[in-house]
Amino acid sequence: MRIGLFIPCFMNELYPNICKATYKLLKNQGLQIEYPLNQTCCGQPMANSGCSKDVKKLAIEFVKTFKDFDYIVAPSGSCVAMVKEHYAEFFDNDKDYNKVKASIYEVCEFFHDIIKVENINFNVSFPHKVGLHNSCHGHRVLKLATASELNIPYDSKLKNLLNKISDIELVTLRREDECCGFGGTFSVQEEAISVAMGKDRIKDHLDSNAEIMTGADMSCLMHMDGIINRDKNPIKVMHIVEILAGVKP
């Protein structure tokens, strides 16, 4: 099984330790991991801003870079959703893109659905109260958890993985799948609304006595971490791969 590790551009620049934790997490399961050095942005920021010509160039480069891997794995639900859901208009039923689309997974989705939960032993302890933030793209596009509006029995791939961690306590939130307000360029264009939504999301975690806020999209966590730091809230943000890889708060 040959796996291409896709690291989102902003994580490469701002959160290298999370990128390293992702690599470690995959290697610890005995997987063959390769990191293509010529990879670049998936094009999501450009897509959010309506720059479709720029997105096309990046989409073509992305497919060229990753088309030969058995699986493509990334620690970002929104970037994976970008490739799976928004590249098709640039390819005319292209076999290489179709393969990439079928092969790309958010890292938790990959562990849950491909490696399978029952085959995984993270062998780490995390004795903290943890609140899980379900980011919109991962939650509703990749189906990492059940959207509340569907009114069907709830399931969460992220929680199923976190429950494999010793001593962890997952707190119950009042609203399991509320948006944090980041939305990429939305947070710039509608700053006040974005911040208000982020504060609401943080308050839900604080009211549930969470020590750690986690999730599968560092973009959303980055947004809320900024608010937490400005407001000096007593809660810490960690990407889910850090917890699964045994990183301490």
Side-chain angles (χ1 to χ4, degrees), residues 83-99:
V83 175
K84 290 180 74 73
E85 300 295 322
H86 301 291
Y87 274 13
E89 65 182 286
F90 307 119
F91 299 91
D92 185 15
N93 197 30
D94 179 81
K95 65 179 181 60
D96 288 336
Y97 170 61
N98 290 340
K99 180 178 182 293

Side-chain angles (χ1 to χ4, degrees), residues 5-139:
L5 178 60
F6 167 47
I7 296 296
C9 50
F10 79 99
M11 291 185 68
N12 183 64
E13 297 298 325
L14 301 175
Y15 301 102
N17 288 335
I18 298 174
C19 305
K20 293 175 185 177
T22 304
Y23 178 81
K24 175 186 174 183
L25 188 62
L26 291 163
K27 287 293 287 184
N28 283 351
Q29 300 301 317
L31 300 170
Q32 178 187 346
I33 314 300
E34 297 179 42
Y35 178 74
L37 293 177
N38 59 327
Q39 64 178 279
T40 184
C41 179
C42 68
Q44 185 179 182
M46 298 77 172
N48 288 344
S49 303
C51 302
S52 58
K53 290 182 180 179
D54 296 319
V55 178
K56 183 177 181 178
K57 292 178 182 177
L58 292 168
I60 291 171
E61 185 63 28
F62 187 97
V63 171
K64 180 182 177 182
T65 300
F66 286 100
K67 63 184 177 64
D68 293 326
F69 290 98
D70 298 315
Y71 291 100
I72 306 144
V73 179
S76 171
S78 62
C79 293
V80 171
M82 177 67 198
V83 175
K84 290 180 74 73
E85 300 295 322
H86 301 291
Y87 274 13
E89 65 182 286
F90 307 119
F91 299 91
D92 185 15
N93 197 30
D94 179 81
K95 65 179 181 60
D96 288 336
Y97 170 61
N98 290 340
K99 180 178 182 293
V100 165
K101 180 179 180 178
S103 303
I104 189 167
Y105 286 83
E106 185 276 327
V107 63
C108 294
E109 180 187 28
F110 178 77
F111 276 116
H112 193 280
D113 294 353
I114 303 301
I115 304 300
K116 303 295 184 184
V117 177
E118 59 270 20
N119 297 327
I120 297 172
N121 181 9
F122 294 115
N123 196 30
V124 297
S125 171
F126 196 79
H128 300 280
K129 293 182 178 180
V130 177
L132 176 62
H133 171 66
N134 292 310
S135 299
C136 299
H137 284 93
H139 197 61

Side-chain angles (χ1 to χ4, degrees), residues 21-22 24-26 28-29 106-109 111-112 120-126 157-166 168 214-216 238-248:
T22 304
K24 175 186 174 183
L25 188 62
L26 291 163
N28 283 351
Q29 300 301 317
E106 185 276 327
V107 63
C108 294
E109 180 187 28
F111 276 116
H112 193 280
I120 297 172
N121 181 9
F122 294 115
N123 196 30
V124 297
S125 171
F126 196 79
K157 296 177 184 181
L158 304 183
K159 283 190 175 182
N160 293 341
L161 290 174
L162 288 170
N163 281 327
K164 301 282 287 187
I165 302 299
S166 300
I168 195 170
T214 195
M238 293 181 70
H239 192 286
I240 189 170
V241 298
E242 295 181 285
I243 297 174
L244 299 179
V247 176
K248 303 305 178 186

Side-chain angles (χ1 to χ4, degrees), residues 133 178-182 186 191-206 213 220 223-225 227-228 230-231 233:
H133 171 66
E178 184 175 82
C179 178
C180 71
F182 176 60
F186 174 82
E191 179 185 353
I193 298 174
S194 177
V195 170
M197 294 173 71
K199 289 192 175 199
D200 283 348
R201 200 77 208 100
I202 293 163
K203 185 176 185 302
D204 196 0
H205 284 74
L206 292 172
M213 178 190 294
C220 300
H223 169 61
M224 290 185 285
D225 194 35
I227 298 171
I228 288 168
R230 285 195 298 272
D231 291 350
N233 294 132

